[in-house]
Amino acid sequence: MLLVVPTSCNQSNGSESVTPAPARTLVSSTLIGEYTPDQLRGRFTGATALFKVFIRYGIKAYRLEYNTTNTDGKVIKASGALIVPNVTTATPLLSMQHGTITSDGDAPSYFRSTSEAYTFGSVFASQGYIIAAPDYIGYGASKDVPHTYEQRNGLATASLDMLRATRDFLSDQKVNWDKRLYIAGYSEGGYATMSLQKKLEEETGSEFNLVASSCGAGAYDKPAFMKQIINEKTSGIDYVNRLYLWVLQTYDRIYGLNRPATAYFKEPYATQIAAQGQSATINVSLNQAFNDSFRLGINDGSDKAFLAAVQDNDVHDWKPRTPTRLYHGDADETVSFLNSQNAYDAMQKRGATNVQLIRINGATHATGILTFITGTYEFFGSIQ
């Protein structure tokens, strides 16, 4: 499991066009702390003790605040963590999109022990990667507005502008970045990574030298996954249902549907959801909680407004230029494996031979994470 950060530089991202750099997005930067290799090793005990062997360099962690655009088109201040290894050689940049969090305190920019930036981000940084970890809209500096949960453009835009703020910081501080960019994330982070990758490849020209993308257990095929949840039996676990409900309510809000809970759910669930929102406890397969008219409108295509909102967030059917891996457990009870399978099949049909599906046999949403992390290390280390 010894992993080495790649040292040679990929000079092309598949486009010969030159895109002018946009205006600065960085607003401010604050040093959170500096940590020695021994301090980093001390973070990992028990089941995570194996990560000690990956610690090579000390790190510095910063909180960045930057300007981005919310889903309403208005400029908003966002934040994220930036972790810089204590090395003098030129190093690559890794954008790490975090998975679902339900507490603002778990956002990367607070750099607390409960955040992915503090744990896995620190390990990657100690291997010699500069880590950019966006909080997303709804956390950190933007905690007073709703999070853009599983919304393609909100996640991709906040992540892209965090990369631009990182570039500003690295230039200001004269950090030796070799201009390579890697991106990775699991769960919501997997979906955010795919959304970011699509935006980078289709909208930013040669602004960044994206060389590899690793996406884990993301809900990429929104239309197919949505129909599966509406029509088929799911786990019925309350915390999983809350995630599905969160997505529905986010789309209802962002796309201006503004429907009452009774437009989606039957009683007694509608009343409970109206009172408690995404905190409602639903312990049945969610398809049993939807009302018949909503299900019919989805299945016969007559609910065009909701279907359009779901379709706008689909990121499974396109042709990536960048070497990409899709990691997913085939026993995932939260994000169905069909998302990665459908994405892989669609991309293959479009001729994307640089996309690989890594099926993690028997893995659930939680147990697939370790394979994703170690596989991503290996994958990025193999890309020159």
Side-chain angles (χ1 to χ4, degrees), residues 64-381:
L64 302 190
E65 293 192 354
Y66 62 96
N67 289 323
T68 190
T69 307
N70 203 350
T71 54
D72 59 4
K74 296 179 180 178
V75 174
I76 188 172
K77 185 186 294 183
S79 53
L82 178 66
I83 315 173
V84 180
N86 290 332
V87 296
T88 57
T89 54
T91 55
L93 171 62
L94 166 57
S95 182
M96 182 178 291
Q97 287 64 239
H98 67 78
T100 299
I101 59 175
T102 56
S103 171
D104 179 58
D106 294 338
S109 68
Y110 298 110
F111 209 60
R112 295 174 183 169
S113 61
T114 51
S115 76
E116 293 177 20
Y118 182 92
T119 52
F120 306 134
S122 295
V123 173
F124 272 92
S126 185
Q127 280 279 308
Y129 290 90
I130 301 164
I131 304 298
D135 290 341
Y136 308 145
I137 294 170
Y139 301 112
S142 59
K143 65 182 179 181
D144 293 332
V145 301
H147 171 46
T148 56
Y149 190 56
E150 291 288 314
Q151 202 270 339
R152 170 190 57 81
N153 192 53
L155 294 171
T157 300
S159 299
L160 174 58
D161 285 334
M162 174 67 184
L163 284 173
R164 289 167 171 160
T166 295
R167 180 179 58 200
D168 294 340
F169 176 90
L170 298 178
S171 176
D172 293 346
Q173 301 297 319
K174 296 181 172 53
V175 176
N176 198 357
W177 171 34
D178 68 13
K179 300 303 186 288
R180 284 177 298 167
L181 171 63
Y182 299 79
I183 59 176
Y186 189 88
S187 190
E188 182 185 12
Y191 176 74
T193 298
M194 183 69 76
S195 300
L196 172 61
Q197 179 180 351
K198 193 170 189 291
K199 192 173 188 70
L200 283 166
E201 293 196 17
E202 295 181 351
E203 299 179 26
T204 65
S206 58
E207 183 181 347
F208 289 96
N209 179 27
L210 179 63
V211 295
S213 173
S214 184
C215 306
Y220 319 115
D221 190 345
K222 284 288 191 286
F225 189 31
M226 178 269 297
K227 287 189 175 181
Q228 183 182 56
I229 293 169
I230 286 175
N231 292 304
E232 299 178 20
K233 184 177 181 180
T234 54
S235 68
I237 301 171
D238 56 357
Y239 70 81
V240 176
N241 283 338
R242 289 189 192 109
L243 302 180
Y244 301 157
L245 178 58
W246 194 359
V247 176
L248 185 151
Q249 292 184 317
T250 298
Y251 292 0
D252 181 87
R253 170 180 59 84
I254 290 177
Y255 294 92
L257 306 181
N258 300 320
R259 299 173 180 176
T262 52
Y264 300 108
F265 299 97
K266 64 179 67 170
E267 296 294 358
Y269 308 108
T271 297
Q272 186 180 355
I273 291 167
Q276 301 176 21
Q278 69 194 51
S279 299
T281 299
I282 301 175
N283 287 310
V284 299
S285 176
L286 200 62
N287 70 320
Q288 298 176 27
F290 291 117
N291 66 43
D292 292 341
S293 61
F294 176 60
R295 292 179 61 190
L296 178 62
I298 297 303
N299 290 323
D300 69 7
S302 60
D303 191 345
K304 297 186 184 301
F306 187 81
L307 288 168
V310 173
Q311 185 62 49
D312 188 55
N313 291 285
D314 179 60
V315 293
H316 89 284
D317 189 5
W318 63 291
K319 184 181 179 181
R321 295 194 306 267
T322 305
T324 303
R325 279 192 184 176
L326 307 173
Y327 288 86
H328 212 137
D330 59 12
D332 194 320
E333 77 291 359
T334 303
V335 181
S336 174
F337 179 75
L338 72 79
N339 284 280
S340 291
Q341 185 67 65
N342 289 1
Y344 175 75
D345 291 345
M347 291 171 180
Q348 290 298 297
K349 287 181 181 179
R350 290 181 178 272
T353 57
N354 54 355
V355 177
Q356 183 179 5
L357 174 62
I358 308 297
R359 181 175 188 144
I360 312 173
N361 293 324
T364 65
H365 199 66
T367 61
I369 295 174
L370 184 59
T371 299
F372 166 73
I373 295 169
T374 55
T376 298
Y377 268 115
E378 176 275 323
F379 176 43
F380 288 174

